[in-house]
Amino acid sequence: MGVAPPAVSVVIPCYGQAEYLGEAVESVVGQTYPDWEIVIVDDGSPDATAAVAHQLIARHPDRPIRLVRQANQGLPSARNSGIAASTGRYVLPLDADDVLLPEMLQKTVDVLDSDPGVAIAYTDYFRFGADSRQVRTGPWSLDALAFSCQLSGATLFRRDVWTTVGGYDAAMRGGYEDWDFWIGAAERGFVGRRIPEALFGYRIKPSSMVLDAIANDAQLRRQIARNHPGTYTPARRLRHWMRRTWNGANRRVRWHAARLFRRLRGRQPHRGT
């Protein structure tokens, strides 16, 4: 009789991040939820990624940690390769320079186990490194996702989400591949649920793929819109513009009202005792 597959596959692509890979892996080893595997994907990395991965595998011989190696193809393809090589019914992608807090898997697995109607469980997160603050993720809806990425890449989802969406788009190797993936999931009716706790650590460095993506924000947004023409309809774009305009107007009205109120208070005669 073969060994039963784990419940969760944590997929860790690595390119030029060997110095951080150990922290990412150890954050999974330290989870309170025990039924997992790790698939490390060496995406043609020029550093010691493979050697560090082999050291980690040797350090934890009783843990299901495997290494997949491929020529460099970019983050979306590396994630796809790792997921294809994994066996868990749930998948959590984790970048090699990020970390999970100990209860991340337990709490996200509990959400998916308890409600078959939910396919994606995500959490708030905290930034560390060159920046230090907590980030609150947003609501799950196609309208919200279309114009702002409401959740991070380190999110637990059912394997059939990946299969149905068709994986991460290899053409999005410049960034926003997770945002593009979440839109594809929402388009197909998959439901996500937020856990209002920061259970994932997102490392901020002076130079990173995310900063490069931000620099190319307009180009990447256009690519996402081309990938999802049924989502970026004129009607949805108009609703979004009207909502932003209305919210902006409300903020201006509130500001002017508060300013007027302060002036009126300042003109009130002083009442002595």
Side-chain angles (χ1 to χ4, degrees):
M1 182 179 294
V3 178
V8 177
S9 295
V10 179
V11 175
I12 308 179
C14 191
Y15 180 85
Q17 306 282 0
E19 62 181 305
Y20 304 116
L21 181 59
E23 291 180 66
V25 169
E26 295 299 342
S27 78
V28 180
V29 172
Q31 291 294 299
T32 59
Y33 184 81
D35 192 13
W36 50 260
E37 68 173 349
I38 297 175
V39 179
I40 301 168
V41 182
D42 177 1
D43 187 34
S45 185
D47 61 9
T49 288
V52 170
H54 284 303
Q55 291 170 5
L56 292 165
I57 292 169
R59 184 184 304 167
H60 302 286
D62 58 333
R63 302 286 192 166
I65 306 173
R66 293 183 286 129
L67 173 65
V68 172
R69 304 187 71 181
Q70 65 179 33
N72 179 248
Q73 298 176 43
L75 179 57
S77 293
R79 282 184 179 165
N80 288 336
S81 296
I83 295 171
S86 69
T87 58
R89 67 179 183 274
Y90 302 145
V91 175
L92 187 139
L94 177 65
D95 288 350
D97 55 344
D98 295 333
V99 295
L100 306 179
L101 290 192
E103 293 187 318
M104 172 68 163
L105 292 185
Q106 183 67 66
K107 292 191 174 184
T108 51
V109 167
D110 285 348
V111 168
L112 299 190
D113 278 352
S114 64
D115 190 342
V118 175
I120 298 160
Y122 59 102
T123 75
D124 295 346
Y125 62 96
F126 61 92
R127 295 179 175 223
F128 69 103
D131 186 17
S132 179
R133 63 187 176 94
Q134 185 166 319
V135 178
R136 176 177 175 172
T137 52
W140 178 270
S141 75
L142 186 54
D143 276 343
L145 284 166
F147 299 100
S148 177
C149 188
Q150 302 293 307
L151 57 159
S152 73
T155 291
L156 190 74
F157 54 86
R158 299 183 191 274
R159 179 173 293 273
D160 64 333
V161 175
W162 178 76
T163 304
T164 304
V165 171
Y168 292 90
D169 184 356
M172 299 296 296
R173 64 181 297 170
Y176 293 179
E177 73 294 326
D178 49 348
W179 187 6
D180 180 79
F181 183 79
W182 303 134
I183 292 173
E187 286 176 329
R188 290 161 176 82
F190 289 110
V191 174
R193 180 174 295 168
R194 170 179 171 257
I195 299 172
E197 296 181 58
L199 298 175
F200 157 65
Y202 179 71
R203 190 187 303 268
I204 302 296
K205 304 190 296 293
S207 176
S208 70
M209 179 178 170
V210 171
L211 293 179
D212 292 341
I214 292 172
N216 297 307
D217 177 79
Q219 176 184 343
L220 292 170
R221 284 176 181 267
R222 286 194 295 270
Q223 180 63 51
I224 289 176
R226 287 193 295 269
N227 288 352
H228 306 279
T231 290
Y232 291 89
T233 61
R236 179 171 275 118
R237 290 178 186 272
L238 178 60
R239 287 198 304 270
H240 176 67
W241 177 83
M242 292 176 65
R243 191 179 302 115
R244 287 184 60 188
T245 302
W246 176 254
N247 289 340
N250 282 344
R251 283 194 293 270
R252 289 192 294 272
V253 168
R254 288 195 296 269
W255 184 84
H256 284 294
R259 187 181 182 190
L260 178 60
F261 179 70
R262 288 194 297 270
R263 286 184 176 180
L264 291 173
R265 287 191 63 184
R267 292 178 183 175
Q268 290 179 352
H270 176 72
R271 296 182 179 180
T273 56

